[in-house]
Amino acid sequence: MTTEGEPRIGTTVQAKAGGRVDPALLYVHAPVLLAAARAIVMNEAEAEDLVQTTLEIGLRRIGQLRDPAALRGWLLAIETREAFRLVRRLRQWVRLDIEVAEPVVTTPDPTDAIQVRHALASLPRRMRAAVVLHHLVGLSVAETAVALGVRDNTVKSQLKVGLSRLRAELGHE
């Protein structure tokens, strides 16, 4: 049972710009959402919860989507906002230093992947989110700025400083 205004799976929803979006299409983006969430929150359980929350919000608000072609970026923007909200809520209760138990292997050598994962973890959360969304997820600078709720120039400087810190941490200066 859905509440009034919420779409049912399998039904098409009219987007603001006039396009139609099938709510089931949100789930097509779940793997990308999970990969980005893992890199942003650095914890598997929190990443899975974050993706679930993102999809729930996306289903409730799919009628607000202006451009159906921008669905992935729209979902990543929701996810990023929710990730930062989660961190703020957790800080009220507890101070966490999260360790990654299982590295994501993105290179042929697992040792390199672990080093990259640790280097990413050393970046401030917003800077790490900018690097992940732009370089790992493949969003443009403008799309990353929208997802983070900042200006393009802020993303550019976060990317510049973030990549510089990653190079220094990995010994690639």
Side-chain angles (χ1 to χ4, degrees), residues 131-148:
V131 170
V132 167
L133 292 174
H134 183 68
H135 290 288
L136 298 179
V137 175
L139 295 183
S140 68
V141 170
E143 291 170 326
T144 302
V146 170
L148 295 173

Side-chain angles (χ1 to χ4, degrees), residues 87-94:
V87 170
R88 273 186 249 124
R89 283 190 302 247
L90 286 176
R91 280 191 190 143
Q92 291 176 349
W93 300 104
V94 89

Side-chain angles (χ1 to χ4, degrees), residues 48-117:
E48 290 172 0
D49 289 346
L50 183 58
V51 171
Q52 181 177 348
T53 301
T54 300
L55 292 173
E56 288 172 1
I57 292 170
L59 278 171
R60 281 196 314 268
R61 297 183 182 165
I62 197 159
Q64 297 174 4
L65 179 63
R66 294 180 182 164
D67 179 9
L71 180 60
R72 184 178 73 154
W74 181 72
L75 288 170
L76 285 164
I78 292 170
E79 179 177 75
T80 304
R81 276 193 304 274
E82 288 303 307
F84 292 135
R85 284 185 187 143
L86 171 69
V87 170
R88 273 186 249 124
R89 283 190 302 247
L90 286 176
R91 280 191 190 143
Q92 291 176 349
W93 300 104
V94 89
R95 180 83 172 143
L96 295 178
D97 290 324
I98 299 170
E99 287 295 319
V100 178
E102 186 176 325
V104 175
V105 178
T106 57
T107 62
D109 184 0
T111 305
D112 290 344
I114 292 169
Q115 291 173 341
V116 169
R117 186 99 173 147

Side-chain angles (χ1 to χ4, degrees), residues 156-167:
K156 289 176 186 176
S157 62
Q158 287 177 335
L159 291 172
K160 180 180 177 184
V161 172
L163 290 177
S164 175
R165 288 184 183 180
L166 287 174
R167 285 186 192 108

